[in-house]
Amino acid sequence: SFLSETVLETLYGVFAYCSNLSNIIFPHFILGDNFKDISFSEAFCGCESLASINMSPIEIDVNRSGSINLNKTFCNCKSLVSFSDVLFPQRFDRAKVTYFPGAFDGCSSLTSIDLNGFSNVYGNYNNLFNDCSSLTSIDMSMLESAKNLQKFFCNCSSLQNIKLPSLSEIDS
């Protein structure tokens, strides 16, 4: 594979709007290379036919110390049913995710999600689950603070169960 010996700094928009893409087979490669921050922003946005994502062959550089951006990463992945169908890269530290707006915006088949481990998101949560019309339950109990919650559950018409945190800080 042409990526097997490659070190990439970002996956920003790498498959954005490949609406008929139904499967991705990632080879082993290193992501980060001491790069301060890693962006998965819009990496799979608009991949309407993608039902699962396996990024486990990807290895995040062990020496990197920056944050991880998931801005609109899975937006409009209309075939994604469960967050457990997303396998993150090796050494992906959910606690390093600091930017999360619109990550699941328009994922109309998503039924449940557990955000365990995403405790350090200090940034924007806008539109996180906007138009997730099949979402029935969510566990948010690990959040330590919540900022910018506009349209957080907008048009989540099937939502029945929310496990809320004991927030020390709510903004917006």
Side-chain angles (χ1 to χ4, degrees):
S1 161
F2 78 97
L3 285 176
S4 62
E5 301 301 321
T6 303
V7 176
L8 297 177
E9 294 179 352
T10 184
L11 288 179
Y12 180 88
V14 68
F15 296 106
Y17 303 100
C18 293
S19 60
N20 292 319
L21 184 66
S22 61
N23 188 32
I24 303 170
I25 299 172
F26 283 100
H28 175 267
F29 66 89
I30 296 174
L31 182 62
D33 191 32
N34 294 319
F35 195 68
K36 182 171 171 65
D37 298 320
I38 291 179
S39 178
F40 288 86
S41 184
E42 298 183 32
F44 307 103
C45 186
C47 294
E48 296 177 5
S49 302
L50 203 55
S52 64
I53 302 165
N54 184 352
M55 294 180 277
S56 64
I58 302 170
E59 183 178 348
I60 293 181
D61 182 41
V62 70
N63 297 313
R64 67 166 291 285
S65 60
S67 64
I68 297 173
N69 177 344
L70 292 180
N71 177 50
K72 296 184 178 181
T73 301
F74 309 105
C75 73
N76 294 312
C77 287
K78 297 182 184 303
S79 298
L80 188 64
V81 174
S82 171
F83 193 49
S84 63
D85 292 331
V86 177
L87 299 178
F88 284 99
Q90 298 170 47
R91 291 198 278 280
F92 181 90
D93 185 352
R94 289 179 176 209
K96 290 194 178 225
V97 174
T98 57
Y99 198 64
F100 218 9
F104 301 100
D105 186 355
C107 292
S108 56
S109 297
L110 189 67
T111 58
S112 65
I113 191 162
D114 180 349
L115 296 177
N116 252 331
F118 290 101
S119 59
N120 291 327
V121 180
Y122 61 81
N124 187 326
Y125 283 96
N126 289 346
N127 301 308
L128 186 61
F129 299 107
N130 184 46
D131 290 326
C132 291
S133 56
S134 298
L135 188 65
T136 59
S137 66
I138 183 168
D139 182 350
M140 301 171 43
S141 60
M142 71 304 161
L143 296 180
E144 294 172 6
S145 67
K147 296 181 181 184
N148 301 320
L149 297 174
Q150 292 90 353
K151 295 187 177 181
F152 192 81
F153 291 119
C154 186
N155 297 321
C156 292
S157 55
S158 300
L159 193 58
Q160 298 171 1
N161 300 303
I162 304 172
K163 189 171 183 181
L164 294 171
S166 298
L167 296 175
S168 59
E169 175 184 353
I170 297 177
D171 186 16
S172 295

